[in-house]
Structure formats: C-alpha cells, structure tokens
C-alpha cells in the first residue's frame, strides 16, 4: 500500500542573533560542503514547535515531559479525589512503579521523588493513571494497596498525545512503553558560509551615575557572540506511523495540520530579548510523497556566495528548485501533491514550477484534506 509522507522545506532569513547556543555560549555551527555554516539544532526547533502546539490544539491532545512525574501525577490524584491529598505522592509512586517506571530520590532535599529521566506522558495518560490510583486506594481502604501492573502499563501506553506521537518517547526501564517518532526534524543549516561576530556591550549603573563623586564607568561590561544567516530548514512526517501512534484519522489530520503550522511559524527563543530576531520564512515548499522522505539540503552543498545575484534568498530558492527538479527527474520521483508560498515573486516563482502556488492557510487546509482522504482509503 502506498505511504503518505509530508516533507516541509523552509528558506528563512534570520538577522543578527544567537538563537541556539553551544556550551560556550557561541551560536551552534557545522561544516558542510567544506564551509562553516550556521546551525540550529533539531532539538531546538522541535521544542519551539511543541511550544506552538499550545496555541493550536486542546491541552488534552498534548503531553508533558518531566522528571517531576510523581509531583505531576500527585496533583492530578488530588484534583480527582481531594481526600487523598496527603497520600497523593505515595499513590503516584505506586502506580508509576506498577507501570514499570523507576522512581528515584530527587536531587533537591525534601523534594518529591522523581523519575530517573525525562518522562513524556500525554495529559490523558496522566489522567488515566491517576484514575487507576484513586480506584485502587478506594478498593484497598485501610488494607494493602494493590495496583494491577498490566492495567497500569496499558494506561501509560494508550491515548498518546500529538507531541508524543510525533516526536516519540523512550522509556529506558520499560521498552514496551517506547513510542517510535513519526516526525524527523533536520538541523537547520545556513545556505552560505558564516563568520561569527561579537557585540561588546556596557550597562550603566543608574544610581552610581547620579553620584557626582563617582566615576562615569560602566556598571557591567561584556560580549555576546552572534551571526546572521539564511537557513534551510527541513522536517518530515510519516503520516502512516503517526496514524498508528494516534489510532484515529481525525486526530492524525489535526496533528499534521498543527505540525505544519507550528514548524513553519515557530522560532527558538535563545537571546530573543537581546536581538529581537523573530522572522517568518521567505519561502515554504510542502511536498506529499508516497515513496520516502527526501531532504533537499544537497542544493546547498556548494555554499551560496555573498555576491549572489538577487541576494542570498533568491539564490537559495533557485538552487532549491533546481535541485528538486533534477532529483525528481533522476529518480523518477512523482510527488502526490505540493504547495508553495512565500514573500515576493522572485522568492516563490522558481518553486512554482514544482508546486501549486498558494498562501499559508489554504496550503495547510488542503494538506489536511489530502491526508484525511488518503487515510480513509482514497489513495
């Protein structure tokens, strides 16, 4: 049976910024095609995408990733049955242990115990595990608490949230609870070579400045590293895997639409207050395939030069269109459908040879309708 794969390609210019830092505070980078490129990690953009989901989906379609899962579950147990507030932590630990999740002492003194790793649970799974704990407590009364392990594990592995279904979950102690990610996000790379720069800054001590006997020196001196770049961003969603994870066609369609909206419009927030660097993409190409995901980063193996005719964005879009066209011809690749939208004729026209030109919302709506139709059997 043909698959349904959604590829999202984005060309986006970011002004002076440091949206994703390494351990020294420098903007992340990578060598590609023998040249140093600006890089934004996939984890950083996945986090930004997840944060946007809160504006696009109901909270019960989302999840929580935390080590403080005993505290989280205890709060839900207390919400469901206030009389169990004093025992909520104990009950939370018991139901998590029954599900096969190892609980360890927290690093902070007097803090509730926690999982030994970040645990990704949907809000509905938290609710279901709390219900199981409340029921077990009522059944036990003053006797020994007994929580069915199979039931606890089942409640931790059903009703996956959209973010868990898209980005996956690994549970080291209980691999049965693992969820294979339906989405892959590439590290964003600049289409050109970059050299980082440094901003030397000073901060004035207001109170000291008003003292006539004090010197006029700065209260603080420092530097911050930055660069500016035109990025190529790419992500892909295996719709069939996503449907397996969610188990529902309508939920899968909502998830695809939400991901498309969130990935295209999100931006990691590193040093946002310092640089106010938030932008929207210059050009977006969405392609539905039935063979395999195809990252088009090969278009930029040879770095776009600083003096490219029409500017870097125009050159990058032209390169992207040419590479996609040649790749499709070489491998007899025939996309199911494709849409392109962006800013300005020069930035969109080359891609219009590969895809139907439209705007953001109609593209997302048509993508959702196509996904729903293919999942319903209209392939």
């Amino acid at each position: 049976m043909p698959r349904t794969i959604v590829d999202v390609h984005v060309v986006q210019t970011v002004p002076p910024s440091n949206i994703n830092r390494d351990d020294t505070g420098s903007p992340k980078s990578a060598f590609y095609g023998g040249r140093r490129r600006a890089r934004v990690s996939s984890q950083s953009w996945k986090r930004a995408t997840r944060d946007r989901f809160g504006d696009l989906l109901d909270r019960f379609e989302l999840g929580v990733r935390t080590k403080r899962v005993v505290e989280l579950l205890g709060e839900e147990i207390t919400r469901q049955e206030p009389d169990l507030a004093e025992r909520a932590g104990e009950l939370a630990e018991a139901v998590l242990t029954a599900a096969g999740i190892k609980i360890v002492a927290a690093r902070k003194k007097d803090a509730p115990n926690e999982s030994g790793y970040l645990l990704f649970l949907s809000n509905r799974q938290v609710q279901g595990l709390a219900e199981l704990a409340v029921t077990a407590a009522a059944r036990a009364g003053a006797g020994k608490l007994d929580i069915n392990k199979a039931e606890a594990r089942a409640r931790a592995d059903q009703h996956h949230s959209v973010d868990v279904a898209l980005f996956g979950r690994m549970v080291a102690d209980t691999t049965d609870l693992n969820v294979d990610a339906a989405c892959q996000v590439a590290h964003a790379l600049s289409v050109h070579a970059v050299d980082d720069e440094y901003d030397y800054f000073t901060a004035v001590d207001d109170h000291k400045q008003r003292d006539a006997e004090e010197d006029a020196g700065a209260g603080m001196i420092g530097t911050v590293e930055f660069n500016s770049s035109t990025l190529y961003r790419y992500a892909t969603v295996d719709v069939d895997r996503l449907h397996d994870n969610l188990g529902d066609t309508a939920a899968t369609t909502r998830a695809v639409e939400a991901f498309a909206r969130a990935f295209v419009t999100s931006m990691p927030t590193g040093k946002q207050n310092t640089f106010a660097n938030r932008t929207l993409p210059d050009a977006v190409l969405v392609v539905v395939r039935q063979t395999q995901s195809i990252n088009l980063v090969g278009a930029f193996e040879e770095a776009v030069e600083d003096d490219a005719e029409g500017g870097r964005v125009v050159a990058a879009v032209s390169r992207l269109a040419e590479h996609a066209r040649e790749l499709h011809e070489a491998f007899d690749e025939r996309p199911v459908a494709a849409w392109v939208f962006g800013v300005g004729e020069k930035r969109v026209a080359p891609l219009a040879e590969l895809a139907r030109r439209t705007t953001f919302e109609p593209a997302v709506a048509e993508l959702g309708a196509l996904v729903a139709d293919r999942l319903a059997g209209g392939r």
Side-chain angles (χ1 to χ4, degrees):
M1 179 181 293
R3 301 165 64 195
T4 303
I5 296 164
V6 178
D7 285 348
V8 183
H9 309 270
V10 177
V11 175
Q12 183 166 359
T13 296
V14 182
S17 58
N18 187 349
I19 59 178
N20 187 209
R21 304 188 291 273
D22 65 17
D23 58 333
T24 68
S26 300
K28 287 186 177 180
S29 63
F31 277 88
Y32 182 63
R35 306 290 293 276
R36 186 167 179 257
R37 312 294 183 98
R39 176 174 67 91
V40 182
S41 71
S42 57
Q43 298 94 325
S44 178
W45 228 299
K46 280 192 281 190
R47 176 65 194 188
T49 300
R50 280 186 55 216
D51 286 344
R52 280 283 289 126
F53 284 160
D55 300 325
L56 301 170
L57 295 166
D58 186 276
R59 66 175 294 271
F60 280 104
E61 291 191 281
L62 300 176
V64 180
R65 187 174 63 178
T66 182
K67 295 176 70 173
R68 296 167 59 175
V69 66
V70 172
E71 179 182 348
L72 175 69
L73 191 52
E75 291 171 353
E76 178 60 22
I77 290 171
T78 300
R79 188 193 68 80
Q80 292 185 20
E81 183 48 75
D83 291 343
L84 293 175
E86 292 185 3
R87 299 181 58 199
E90 167 204 342
L91 294 170
E93 285 193 42
V95 75
L96 289 166
T97 300
I101 297 164
K102 186 177 180 181
I103 302 300
V104 300
R107 291 185 179 181
K108 286 187 177 181
K109 187 178 179 180
D110 299 327
N113 291 340
E114 57 188 29
S115 56
Y117 42 81
L118 285 169
L119 184 63
F120 209 169
L121 292 172
S122 74
N123 283 315
R124 292 178 68 185
Q125 287 166 352
V126 171
Q127 188 179 59
L129 288 168
E131 288 174 351
L132 183 60
V134 170
T135 301
R139 186 170 57 241
K144 183 179 178 181
L145 187 69
D146 181 27
I147 297 177
N148 184 282
K149 292 182 179 181
E151 178 64 18
R153 192 164 297 185
R155 293 196 181 210
D157 197 32
Q158 62 189 11
H159 303 307
H160 293 307
S161 61
V162 166
D163 38 9
V164 170
L166 280 166
F167 300 126
R169 176 176 73 190
M170 186 182 77
V171 182
D173 304 322
T174 311
T175 56
D176 290 349
L177 297 181
N178 289 350
V179 178
D180 291 333
C183 171
Q184 299 167 353
V185 178
H187 290 241
L189 284 178
S190 66
V191 303
H192 52 85
V194 296
D195 290 310
D196 289 347
E197 301 178 71
Y198 293 85
D199 176 37
Y200 170 82
F201 66 88
T202 64
V204 174
D205 184 322
D206 293 338
H207 186 67
K208 176 183 172 183
Q209 187 182 39
R210 288 193 291 267
D211 190 336
E213 296 182 3
E214 283 283 0
D215 62 71
M220 178 182 177
I221 296 174
T223 60
V224 59
E225 197 170 354
F226 67 92
N227 59 40
S228 57
S229 58
T230 297
L231 299 169
Y232 168 68
R233 298 167 47 206
Y234 168 75
T236 183
V237 177
D238 184 332
V239 174
D240 303 285
R241 173 55 58 83
L242 182 60
H243 185 263
D244 290 342
N245 288 346
L246 290 172
D248 181 79
T249 296
T252 302
T253 301
R254 287 196 302 274
V256 170
E257 291 179 350
F259 177 80
R261 288 190 174 94
F263 180 70
V264 167
T265 62
S266 62
M267 171 77 72
T269 57
K271 291 289 185 180
Q272 180 66 34
N273 290 342
T274 303
F275 291 103
N277 52 258
R278 191 177 185 94
T279 62
L280 286 171
D282 298 284
V284 178
L285 173 66
V286 180
V287 184
V288 177
R289 305 183 185 277
Q290 57 186 4
T291 52
Q292 66 175 51
S293 306
I294 301 177
N295 187 324
L296 298 175
V297 71
F300 310 111
E301 190 272 338
E302 182 181 343
V304 174
E305 296 301 327
D306 294 344
D307 59 353
E309 185 177 352
R312 283 176 174 163
V313 174
V314 171
V317 171
S318 296
R319 289 262 202 100
L320 186 67
E322 181 182 10
H323 182 69
R325 183 173 57 254
E326 291 177 347
L327 187 148
H328 288 175
E329 290 175 357
F331 289 90
D332 300 311
E333 178 68 20
R334 294 177 177 81
V336 175
W339 301 266
V340 61
F341 53 91
V343 182
E345 182 65 23
K346 290 183 179 180
R347 300 181 181 189
V348 179
L351 291 169
E353 299 177 18
L354 303 168
R356 193 176 79 78
R357 187 168 181 177
T358 182
T359 56
F360 183 33
E361 284 300 330
V364 173
E366 290 176 27
L367 171 64
L370 178 61
V371 164
D373 181 61
R374 288 177 69 81
L375 288 175
R379 296 171 187 264

